[in-house]
Amino acid sequence: QVQLVESGGGLVKPGGSLRLSCAASGFTFSDYYMSWIRQAPGKGLEWVSYISSSGSTIYYADSVKGRFTISRDNAKNSLYLQMNSLRAEDTAVYYCARVRSGTPNWFDPWGQGTLVTVSS
Amino acid sequence: SYELTQPPSVSVSPGQTARITCSGDALPKQYAYWYQQKPGQAPVLVIYKDSERPSGIPERFSGSSSGTTVTLTISGVQAEDEADYYCQSADSSGTYEVFGTGTKVTVL
């Protein structure tokens, strides 16, 4: 079955960096756009970024543009999120999700999430 | 920035019908999607393209659209339906996906 497993979360100081990974299985990873979505503690969902199947098209939310970099390795069935210059407001559970093409795109399924805590 | 507005909470007795609305100016032009999120779990898609139900989602979940408002209806609510529900769509350009503010459904 389709499975997405995130890793790499943890505690980091403000201004620090962290790299999240998402391992995909159960589908042809290279055929799909992929996305990162986050959820601050007790808050709603916020779309962060998505990347096309080849990696040639990338979009970011304004809140992370210039600080976060999304990438993928289709040979390894893996999605990544490099997070630099982290701020307290980046504290959240980060989910990776497979993107389904539509008007607009939607997300199915989602991984279980990995918690990123930015605190001194 | 574009916003999708949902009521913060909806309370319903078992067996009754819960209706959750989502309002946004671009909804006449863009499909809406609905996700269910139970505590400590990842969101799960329950409705796509306004009214389509993914395989494995119970028939009691349905969606509809009218103008700038979309509605998720849960008919014959069960205790297991207690969760947060989020709508999702995009602004009129369709470039950036946006989630609604979320609605907590409480089964009394």
Side-chain angles (χ1 to χ4, degrees), chain A residues 1-12:
Chain A
Q1 75 282 17
V2 176
Q3 191 169 14
L4 299 168
V5 179
E6 302 94 336
S7 61
L11 175 64
V12 60

Side-chain angles (χ1 to χ4, degrees), chain B:
Chain B
S1 62
Y2 184 59
E3 294 183 349
L4 295 171
T5 302
Q6 300 178 232
S9 62
V10 167
S11 297
V12 59
S13 299
Q16 299 302 304
T17 297
R19 294 182 179 86
I20 306 164
T21 58
C22 172
S23 299
D25 290 341
L27 287 175
K29 302 178 181 178
Q30 302 283 351
Y31 282 123
Y33 307 88
W34 290 94
Y35 303 88
Q36 175 194 67
Q37 186 180 33
K38 296 182 178 180
Q41 297 184 20
V44 173
L45 180 75
V46 294
I47 292 290
Y48 67 101
K49 294 185 178 180
D50 289 349
S51 59
E52 300 294 320
R53 193 174 51 251
S55 60
I57 300 301
E59 291 184 7
R60 62 180 181 273
F61 289 89
S62 63
S64 61
S65 176
S66 179
T68 59
T69 299
V70 294
T71 302
L72 173 68
T73 301
I74 312 172
S75 304
V77 165
Q78 300 183 7
E80 66 199 52
D81 300 329
E82 188 164 281
D84 293 327
Y85 290 84
Y86 294 90
C87 62
Q88 177 242 313
S89 188
D91 61 12
S92 56
S93 73
T95 302
Y96 298 102
E97 282 72 23
V98 175
F99 290 94
T101 50
T103 299
K104 181 176 182 58
V105 170
T106 300
V107 181
L108 301 172

Side-chain angles (χ1 to χ4, degrees), chain A residues 80-98:
Chain A
Y80 306 102
L81 187 67
Q82 177 67 43
M83 304 185 295
N84 298 332
S85 303
L86 282 162
R87 308 165 179 167
E89 54 265 36
D90 295 318
T91 294
V93 174
Y94 285 74
Y95 297 99
C96 72
R98 185 175 67 173

